[in-house]
Amino acid sequence: MEDASLLELCVSEDVIQTLCSASNSSTLEKSLELLIEVSRTADGRADLASKNILPMVIQLIQSLPYPSGRQFLVLSLRLLRNLCAGEISNQNLFLHKNGFGAVLNVFRSARLCSEGDHGFIRIGLQVLANVSLAGEEHQRLIWHELFPQEFLALAKIRSREVCDPLCMVICTCCDGNPELLTEICNGCGLPILREIVRTTAAVGFGEDWLKLLLSRIFLEQLHTPPLFSELSLVGPSTAKVEDFEDGDIFFSPEQAFLLRMISEILNEQIEEITVPNDFALFVLEIFKSSIGVINSDSRTKSGLPTGSTAIDVLGYSLTILRDICAQKGPRDSEESLADAVDMLLSSGLVELLLRLLRDLELPAMIRKTMKQGENQEGTTSSRSSKPCLYKGFRRDIVAVIGNCAYGRKHVQDEIRQSNGILLLLQQCVTDEDNPFLREWSIWSVRNLLEGNAENQRVVAELELQGSVDTPEISGLGLRVEVDPNSRRAKLVNISSLE
């Protein structure tokens, strides 16, 4: 570090004397260190506010050169951050003493550094986040100073040190200000969100501010389509979900990452969030446009995320649909307003999922038993089927169907009328490629049978070709009886035989 005495020549004597007197120290560096410790507590911040310390710190930041005075600047910013943590008088002084100008100069100086001073910028953003907690006036002033150019410049810095507090500032400014949230999600605000997603997709994130921001954008207001298109490989002006034909898989890694984040948010807050109908339909369109990957050569043995953009888009849109369909109970009343699940059902979700499930090869346990039967009969299977795209794909399809069937008789009937009961019974086995497939399948079959006498009758009379008897099926109160001559199996209700 450059000789401290030379740096102190840049600073007003009044500033140095005030800081040294408040800390009972003889040097500027030691004074800053001691004041940082004092400002860690509410009482300490209140005491320093009474001594008018914050304006001195702002003057100090404005006076010190960068990068030669970096060490003093870091200490000053840390002190400023602490002073503005919940102390309203300091937060107000920050506005009136042009604290914004001082912090903006910090951002611009650090960005000009050849290697980028990310830690330095991080502290500056934490200062603004603390100031924004004072209320709407402070939030709007910060927004006015930083939106959109400064926000965009900061979002383009590929560093989680910068992106985490940047998301914090945007979140706190938008808290209670829906018009600001709308502004960040449209027009010149979209590039900011685009760069935030690109940054976090590339370097990750260490705090939950990103998820909080995305939750407010996608699950509290419908701003998904423009940002999803903004992240497209083919350009924001032409990339719309409805433009994709079945089989097109031109998704970007950032789009897959965005869906992953939304899936995690929804799963974590499944009891608190009510998904807007339009959002549910938008995700369904993404899912439909991504199923073309099933006909491609893309395959992976891993679970999500797989590393394949197309498969991840398919998988995460499916898990989002799973959790959307788990949110609300039955809506069979004609007087009920359509919820997100009803909208999905009316758009053919169950029919689509049953078709995809039929196209998959049967679980390994079922295939093994069928193969044994075919060998004894001297026949071969002509079934043309596809393997699972990722570990858990079959399970996720079954989970969505099961959630849709819960308490919805019209869905139960639709599955029966589509000959889907046998298909779902065949999933009630352990499958190493689909963890928890057995549990989700049992859940689904129970939902199919509950309160539906017709479905119960079909199951009791159903005959299975080459099936297996498993503890899982027995747990449903069912049993498979096999004719020793024809090797045809019949699934019977155990209770009806007692």
Side-chain angles (χ1 to χ4, degrees), residues 225-226 228-230 232 234-245 248 250-251 255 282 285-286 289:
F228 193 82
S229 297
E230 189 80 11
S232 174
V234 296
S237 62
T238 59
K240 298 180 180 179
V241 171
E242 56 266 28
D243 292 338
F244 287 101
E245 297 294 337
D248 287 339
F250 299 111
F251 294 101
Q255 287 176 317
F282 179 76
E285 289 305 311
I286 294 175
S289 66

Side-chain angles (χ1 to χ4, degrees), residues 54-55 58 61 80 84 88-103 124 127-128 131 138 142:
L54 185 136
I58 292 176
I61 293 172
L80 187 60
C84 292
I88 188 62
S89 58
N90 284 335
Q91 292 167 331
N92 289 335
L93 275 174
F94 184 89
L95 268 63
H96 301 318
K97 298 297 180 179
N98 193 28
F100 291 116
V103 173
V127 172
L128 296 182
V131 172
H138 300 69
I142 291 174

Side-chain angles (χ1 to χ4, degrees), residues 47-58:
D47 180 61
L48 295 178
S50 68
K51 295 177 180 178
N52 208 35
I53 295 300
L54 185 136
M56 299 296 106
V57 179
I58 292 176

Side-chain angles (χ1 to χ4, degrees), residues 297-308 311-312 361 364 367 386-393 395 431-435:
D297 295 330
S298 299
R299 293 290 183 272
T300 176
K301 290 295 184 180
S302 71
L304 299 172
T306 65
S308 165
I311 293 177
D312 285 349
E361 60 187 7
R367 296 200 309 273
K386 302 178 177 66
C388 286
L389 288 174
Y390 64 86
K391 194 169 186 176
F393 181 48
R395 173 205 62 212
D431 187 348
E432 63 180 13
D433 291 331
N434 287 273

